[in-house]
Amino acid sequence: MFVKHGMNSQFALLGVLGSSAVFRRQQFLIRTLGGYTNQTHQNRIQQTKAMSGIALEADAEHILRAITPTLDPTKHKGQAGNIAIIGGCREYTGAPYFAAISALKIGADLSHVFCTKDAASVIKSYSPELIVHPVLEESYSVRDEDKLSTLGKVLAEVDKWMERFDCLVVGPGLGRDPFLLGCVSEIMKHARQFNVPIVVDGDGLFLVTNSLDLVSGYPLAVLTPNINEYKRLVQKVLNCEVTDQDAHEQLLSLAKGIGGVTILRKGKSDLISDSETVKSVSIYGSPRRCGGQGDILSGSVAVFLSWARQRLAAAEGDSSISKINPTMLGCIAGSALMRKAASLAFQNKKRSTLTSDIIECLGRSLEDICPAS
């Protein structure tokens, strides 16, 4: 790999990484998130705008190529990702399935669902590919005098697996039962102790909005609110209404107000901030807004966040790489792939496009951008 004369020596990574292929991927990461010091004048202008709170369109396809691992026959089961979904109750069984199966379709090796007993058999019937744990409980099934011991049993079951997980997705199909939410709150606290990334969506955002301490100050937390969920967060944290005129500055302020978490604000263009910068993903997309697309996104972000952490760990000790936030990379990649899959599905199905159609397009979408061979 040719390195320009005069480039800061911290970017001469070939000797550190030991492989031109890995080197090129790391170059992608640095370039797409503004890590080069020897930039063109235009890039300097764009970086200045980003510091001013103006969102820049992320180079999403380059990021996807940079963090997606190669298929290696020497690797073993689990190394490409072990994802857990915390959600699924009597009323909602589709959402956790969508999130879990999306993770597998993208390339994770294992996908777990921790749900209530009522939801477990239904979710299992959707696919034999998922590992389903019927361990969560709702208030109606637990006597008041048994709640403390039941909570202990739930935590013990989840903790047996926690250190194996690369990411948790909290919220798809969770519901709002008070006892169930209390159990999930404790699971999130344990995940932080294990340093496991947490993607929060759906009813998980309801929980977090009312208990910000669950994610506040945790840099590996990602929130993925839709327009209504975002409105509630802004009202709670910033004590004001959502404004589109200063959307980028408001998103920065919100991420800072929750202690530096990463927020992916879903919309016509997805806006992403980790309290330091704002990026947008506007490529692809579909006008069809069928329910369940947010569940696909949460599963996608979980996988790519896990892969980004692995990629950055490969360059551990290099200051130029270690400063890149894996949650930003995961959100950008997950958003772009979801939008591309939705676009492909809409080309075929138009108004009849369903979430299941989009899921079937995930593999092809990733293959188009980052071929497996």
Side-chain angles (χ1 to χ4, degrees):
M1 170 65 70
F2 178 72
V3 181
K4 287 185 179 179
H5 178 69
M7 183 178 288
N8 192 309
S9 60
Q10 67 177 332
F11 299 112
L13 305 177
L14 183 57
V16 176
L17 300 176
S19 157
S20 61
V22 174
F23 177 58
R24 286 194 297 273
R25 288 178 178 227
Q26 303 298 354
Q27 295 268 38
F28 274 145
L29 296 183
I30 299 171
R31 183 170 66 254
T32 52
L33 288 186
Y36 280 111
T37 57
N38 187 25
Q39 295 174 316
T40 64
H41 177 66
Q42 183 61 33
N43 284 342
R44 289 180 186 275
I45 293 175
Q46 290 179 338
Q47 191 174 47
T48 301
K49 288 181 179 179
M51 293 174 65
S52 301
I54 299 175
L56 296 177
E57 181 71 14
D59 196 346
E61 290 194 356
H62 279 174
I63 289 174
L64 276 162
R65 295 186 187 103
I67 66 176
T68 300
T70 57
L71 294 177
D72 186 346
T74 65
K75 290 184 177 180
H76 58 76
K77 180 176 64 178
Q79 285 187 291
N82 194 345
I83 309 301
I85 314 300
I86 310 296
C89 62
R90 283 185 298 173
E91 291 86 356
Y92 307 115
T93 57
Y97 164 75
F98 289 147
I101 202 68
S102 295
L104 290 180
K105 290 284 187 177
I106 290 169
D109 286 339
L110 296 167
S111 194
H112 299 249
V113 177
F114 289 82
C115 60
T116 66
K117 295 175 181 177
D118 288 336
S121 59
V122 179
I123 296 172
K124 286 181 179 181
S125 72
Y126 294 151
S127 173
E129 307 289 347
L130 306 180
I131 303 170
V132 181
H133 307 263
V135 299
L136 302 181
E137 297 282 1
E138 294 183 84
S139 299
Y140 78 91
S141 63
V142 183
R143 296 181 301 178
D144 288 343
E145 59 268 29
D146 294 332
K147 286 184 176 179
L148 187 60
S149 61
T150 300
L151 172 61
K153 292 177 182 178
V154 170
L155 291 176
E157 285 296 318
V158 178
D159 279 353
K160 288 193 302 187
W161 297 87
M162 187 70 77
E163 65 180 359
R164 308 183 196 183
F165 295 140
D166 297 301
C167 190
L168 294 189
V169 180
V170 175
L174 185 60
R176 298 185 179 183
D177 178 80
F179 180 73
L180 178 55
L181 292 181
C183 291
V184 173
S185 295
E186 295 303 315
I187 291 171
M188 293 177 69
K189 293 175 184 178
H190 283 222
R192 291 185 63 161
Q193 294 172 7
F194 281 89
N195 207 38
V196 176
I198 306 172
V199 178
V200 186
D201 187 47
D203 286 321
L205 290 167
F206 172 81
L207 172 61
V208 164
T209 301
N210 292 298
S211 302
L212 291 171
D213 59 297
L214 291 174
V215 294
S216 182
Y218 189 47
L220 293 177
V222 175
L223 312 184
T224 60
N226 60 25
I227 184 171
N228 292 320
E229 294 159 345
Y230 186 76
K231 179 180 179 180
R232 287 191 286 268
L233 279 169
V234 168
Q235 291 173 338
K236 178 67 178 287
V237 178
L238 303 180
N239 196 29
C240 65
E241 297 300 322
V242 174
T243 171
D244 290 329
Q245 187 174 7
D246 300 314
H248 309 137
E249 289 81 0
Q250 190 172 65
L251 181 59
L252 275 171
S253 298
L254 181 60
K256 289 178 182 177
I258 313 179
V261 302
T262 297
I263 301 174
L264 192 167
R265 178 187 173 182
K266 296 179 283 195
K268 182 178 180 181
S269 293
D270 291 338
L271 294 181
I272 305 162
S273 178
D274 60 355
S275 82
E276 298 293 331
T277 187
V278 179
K279 293 290 182 180
S280 67
V281 179
S282 305
I283 57 175
Y284 311 118
S286 163
R288 178 77 167 103
R289 303 307 308 152
C290 56
Q293 294 183 65
D295 304 312
I296 300 176
L297 178 64
S298 63
S300 302
V301 169
V303 176
F304 285 115
L305 196 168
S306 303
W307 288 351
R309 293 187 80 201
Q310 291 177 8
R311 179 60 59 192
L312 298 179
E316 187 175 1
D318 187 275
S319 60
S320 63
I321 294 295
S322 61
K323 293 179 181 179
I324 299 175
N325 191 341
T327 59
M328 287 291 290
L329 296 174
C331 285
I332 292 168
S335 170
L337 188 70
M338 162 62 201
R339 295 171 73 96
K340 181 172 175 60
S343 177
L344 287 177
F346 183 75
Q347 289 177 21
N348 295 327
K349 297 297 184 72
K350 302 301 181 184
R351 292 182 186 275
S352 66
T353 303
L354 299 177
T355 299
S356 55
D357 299 317
I358 299 173
I359 290 172
E360 289 307 310
C361 291
L362 288 171
R364 175 186 163 189
S365 298
L366 186 56
E367 182 68 15
D368 287 347
I369 298 171
C370 185
S373 58

